[in-house]
């Protein structure tokens, strides 16, 4: 096999031929499905006549091919590994092909595959070419008419995009349904489902009075787990009408839950496919976090109907056009339905841990990459989350009203088209009158910008000078960076009053909470008429995806933690304060010096615990220490053991000093009320469970008893899972196994709960975690071909900082072994799973060598393009 070659954005050309209408017939069979395709083809008006017809196609056995009804002889077309070529085609013609495929052998879960007894598809990004020969690129948009034929008894339900127009019986116990999708769409939005499924149905009336049927299709045993997804869908539909003026455009909207799925969910037109983990919930089986995740993903896929489907991407380099925008939309939706600051805190803690790490590692890439080998590797945190941060900055820059006008312009001007990121940004520039040319650099420059800030208060003149200096570090292929346009929201908090001071900048009134624009490498901002010495509260609500350094003293941070009017920055001040203390303790641990707890952190926590909180959900976040992964992200070189020891020390010191406050907090927030995934209840559970985690960390007898009782009370999965996790992760050796056994037996029949059972045990800090992984890989509920299982067991173990990074290299070896097996079974998952090994530069020399040795061992295999691309970058 030759080395996979990169594809370049600069090589983009419109397709030589487009397809205006696509007719498909599937005759389903696990081992030999027949797919007939009739494509209505015409030359693209912008392309020269006489070009050959080139269609994508992989792993297809061609059975027949004809143009305008004339069968082609074997010398009239050419077949390659990657597709089909026909020379000398007319300007307009009908192409008929018939191919055979084997869904039951498809473990990659791209194209048509089997999940349990059902058939289903995943076509984004390039899966359709594993179904039939086609110009499998998003700028070819066609209407589809799809006939699905299957065994009537085994596959009573046959679904595809759009509306069912015909159904009937066929000889041999088979039946068929024909579906028509009137909206032109790219092949990546095609979907088909066939199986023994049951539905839950509801209705929604759109703002213009259209009646829409909503259906969630599941296996029978999951019928009781769809309520929350359905309610979320209706809320999302209403929200998009109210917020963006966009309504749904078909008579039915279907969601299907699938157990084997590479990602979270897929926005296929009118027929979303969902990883069952992203749609099914029940108070007894799903945690608050899972409920919120389901709500967010249901909304995300629904919002794609406009941002992605009606207006789609010209090519896959523009992926963030639909993903960044849609993530921004689902984030705003969730913020409107839940505690907005907590939503932001959760987003940002995840972003600063995982996206910052990606942006600093060997696979760093711009939000719009300029080349790729395998597009499946680019469904990344950078494309999704940093893309969303850029859209958020745009929104803050031009203001919501102009942003909404820009979105209206974008949707109406480009409806039914495949467009670029410039098209989107230009709409925002036109609607607002802003010059966004420098801002566009955010899309082409990789790496996390760092801002060094310092400020000085001039008492005599009442002037505050803030100096900001930006730089973006080099990333692979991009040694030099230009200054970006960075909008920073800020306030100046008066040290006497604790209030936001009015801000005047260059004679302009900024109010008490305003945005400044950093455009130069270094810029000074001079605020006048500042009545008292302020502490600046910078990048409020994480107004830009940057690392902001300001020489805050611990007193400054304690002050902001108590007084900042921005909930997000109040939380962030607490995190910064904890990080300073952690830094000292990490150093102490490394130097073998006795660890001493900073009393200022204890006092700050005491203050939090003893003053009335205006937002309990935020308080729970404030009481949560930065994760080991986030602490690691702040260190020049990661010392996993020192980080773990330091964090445990802080936790235990706080628990010891504030034991009574935590006990009180726990008691005040326990409740027997029936479970509801509502903000107030969620906040109370978070507070109670944070308190419990402190109490158990010091093996407080009462705390352990509370955890055991909470586990046994079995009130809801949020409480049960937290209690189980604390018992299993506790250093008291006798607690883990009885609880795990009880839980494992109770839930053996429920794959999504068993995923949690796997994760909890392999993330424990005790040294038996690795042995548990090996043991559990033979558990009947585990399967290497199910991505959820792989993530729950192997992926979770790779997040177990102390055990994955064992000094004997056994953690790395285990991951590499699994990656090598998955390289054959499911390349997309293999390439994701290997990520932790690619971050070897962050660790000490011994671990670096061990990690690189495993990467080299993987490189010795015959690699899928997915893994090839990642491994080459990691070892470059
Ligand atoms: N477009 C999907 C989303 O974000 C992503 C997705 C689902 C996907 N399944 C996939 C991407 C498989 C690549 C491969 O909503
Ligand atoms: Zn998406």
């Amino acid at each position: 096999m030759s080395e996979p070659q990169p594809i370049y954005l600069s090589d983009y050309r419109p397709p030589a031929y487009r397809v205006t209408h696509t007719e498909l017939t599937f005759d389903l069979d696990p081992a030999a499905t027949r797919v007939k395709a009739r494509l209505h083809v015409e030359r693209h008006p912008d392309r020269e006549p006489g070009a050959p017809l080139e269609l994508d196609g992989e792993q297809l056995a061609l059975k027949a091919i004809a143009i305008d009804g004339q069968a082609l002889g074997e010398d009239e077309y050419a077949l390659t590994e990657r597709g089909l070529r026909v020379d000398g085609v007319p300007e307009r013609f009908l192409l008929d092909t018939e191919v055979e495929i084997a869904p039951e052998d498809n473990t990659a879960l791209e194209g048509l595959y089997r999940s349990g007894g059902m058939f289903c598809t995943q076509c984004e990004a390039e899966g359709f070419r594993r179904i039939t020969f086609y110009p499998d690129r998003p700028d070819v948009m066609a209407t589809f008419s799809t006939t699905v034929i299957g065994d009537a008894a085994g596959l009573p339900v046959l679904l595809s995009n759009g509306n069912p127009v015909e159904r009937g019986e066929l000889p041999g116990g088979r039946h068929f349904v024909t579906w028509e999708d009137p909206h032109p769409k790219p092949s990546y939005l095609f979907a088909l489902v066939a199986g023994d499924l049951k539905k839950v149905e509801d209705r929604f009336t759109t703002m213009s009075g259209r009646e829409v049927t909503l259906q969630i299709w599941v296996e029978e045993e999951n019928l009781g787990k769809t309520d929350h997804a359905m309610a979320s869908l209706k809320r999302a539909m209403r929200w998009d009408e109210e917020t963006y003026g966009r309504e749904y455009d078909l008579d039915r909207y279907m969601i299907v839950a699938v157990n084997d799925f590479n990602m979270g969910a897929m926005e296929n037109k009118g027929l979303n496919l969902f990883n069952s983990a992203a749609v099914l919930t029940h108070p007894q089986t799903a945690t608050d976090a899972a409920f919120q995740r389901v709500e967010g993903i249901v909304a995300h896929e629904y919002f794609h109907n406009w941002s992605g489907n009606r207006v789609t991407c010209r090519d896959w380099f523009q992926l963030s056009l639909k993903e960044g925008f849609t993530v921004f939309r689902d984030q705003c939706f969730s913020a409107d339905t839940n505690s907005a600051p907590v939503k932001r805190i959760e987003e940002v803690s995840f972003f600063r841990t995982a996206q910052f790490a990606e942006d600093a590692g060997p696979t760093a890439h711009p939000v719009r990459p300029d080349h790729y080998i395998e597009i499946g590797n680019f469904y990344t945190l950078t494309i999704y989350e940093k893309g969303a941060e850029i859209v958020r900055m745009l929104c803050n820059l031009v203001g919501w009203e102009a942003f909404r006008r820009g979105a209206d312009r974008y949707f109406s001007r480009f409806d039914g088209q495949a467009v670029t990121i410039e098209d989107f940004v230009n709409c925002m520039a036109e609607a607002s009158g802003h010059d966004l040319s420098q801002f566009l650099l955010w899309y082409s420059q990789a790496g996390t910008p760092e801002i060094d800030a310092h400020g000085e208060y001039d008492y005599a003149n009442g002037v505050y000078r803030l100096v900001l200096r930006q730089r973006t570090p080099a990333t692979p292929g991009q040694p030099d960076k230009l200054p970006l346009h960075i909008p920073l929201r800020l306030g100046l908090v008066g040290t006497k009053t604790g209030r936001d001071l009015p801000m005047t900048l260059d004679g302009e009134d900024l109010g008490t909470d305003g945005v400044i624009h950093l455009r130069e490498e270094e810029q000074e901002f001079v605020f006048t008429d500042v009545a008292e010495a302020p502490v600046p509260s910078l990048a409020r609500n994480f107004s830009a995806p940057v690392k902001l350094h300001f020489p805050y003293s611990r007193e400054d941070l304690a002050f902001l933690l108590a007084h900042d009017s921005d909930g997000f920055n109040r939380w962030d001040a607490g995190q910064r304060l904890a990080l300073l203390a952690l830094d000292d303790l990490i150093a102490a641990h490394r130097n073998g010096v006795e660890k001493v707890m900073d009393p200022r952190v204890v006092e700050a926590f005491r203050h939090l615990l003893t003053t009335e909180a205006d937002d309990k959900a935020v308080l729970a976040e404030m009481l949560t220490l930065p994760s080991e992964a986030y602490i690691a992200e702040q260190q020049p070189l990661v010392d996993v053991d020192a980080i773990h020891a330091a964090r445990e020390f802080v936790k235990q010191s706080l628990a010891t000093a504030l034991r009574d406050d935590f006990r009180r907090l726990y008691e005040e927030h326990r409740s027997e009320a029936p479970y509801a995934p509502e903000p107030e209840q969620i906040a109370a559970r978070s507070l109670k469970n944070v308190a419990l985690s402190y109490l158990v960390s010091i093996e407080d007898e009462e705390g352990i008893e509370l955890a055991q009782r909470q586990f046994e009370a079995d009130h809801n999965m949020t409480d049960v899972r937290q209690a189980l996790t604390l018992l299993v992760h506790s250093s008291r050796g006798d607690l883990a196994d009885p609880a795990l056994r009880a839980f494992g037996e109770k839930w053996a029949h429920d794959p999504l709960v068993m995923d949690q059972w796997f994760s909890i045990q392999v993330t424990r800090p005790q040294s038996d975690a690795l042995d548990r992984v090996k043991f559990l890989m033979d558990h009947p509920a585990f399967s290497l071909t199910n991505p959820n299982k792989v993530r729950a067991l192997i992926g979770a173990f790779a997040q177990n900082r102390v055990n994955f990074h064992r000094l004997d290299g056994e953690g790395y070896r285990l991951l590499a072994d699994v990656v090598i097996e998955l390289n054959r079974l499911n390349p997309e998952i293999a390439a994701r799973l290997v990520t932790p090994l690619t971050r070897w530069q962050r660790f000490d020399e011994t671990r670096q060598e061990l990690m690189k040795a495993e990467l080299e061992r993987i490189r010795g295999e015959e690699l899928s393009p997915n893994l090839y691309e990642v491994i080459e970058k990691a070892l470059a």
Side-chain angles (χ1 to χ4, degrees), residues 122 124 263 265 267 300-301 304 322-323 379 384 828:
Q122 172 55 41
E124 186 175 6
M263 308 272 280
E267 69 265 24
H300 179 96
E301 306 311 331
H304 266 316
K322 76 176 175 81
E323 295 304 345
Y379 288 76
Y384 276 66
E828 213 162 64

Side-chain angles (χ1 to χ4, degrees), residues 333-408:
F333 165 74
S334 293
D336 284 353
T337 4
N338 300 287
S339 159
V342 167
K343 172 73 178 123
R344 190 67 183 140
I345 288 166
E346 287 168 354
E347 260 153 46
V348 174
S349 354
F350 174 59
F351 185 82
R352 292 200 298 210
T353 306
Q355 197 283 330
F356 278 10
E358 181 170 278
D359 234 351
T363 59
H365 54 277
V367 170
R368 179 166 55 196
D370 54 16
H371 67 280
Y372 60 76
I373 288 179
E374 171 53 57
I375 187 58
N377 287 336
F378 284 77
Y379 288 76
T380 60
L381 296 168
T382 299
I383 305 285
Y384 276 66
E385 314 297 327
K386 189 173 180 181
E389 292 300 323
I390 295 176
V391 175
R392 181 182 293 265
M393 282 192 286
L394 260 177
C395 180
N396 287 334
L397 235 160
V398 305
W400 166 252
E401 316 232 302
F403 183 84
R404 170 62 205 275
R405 284 197 306 276
D408 287 351

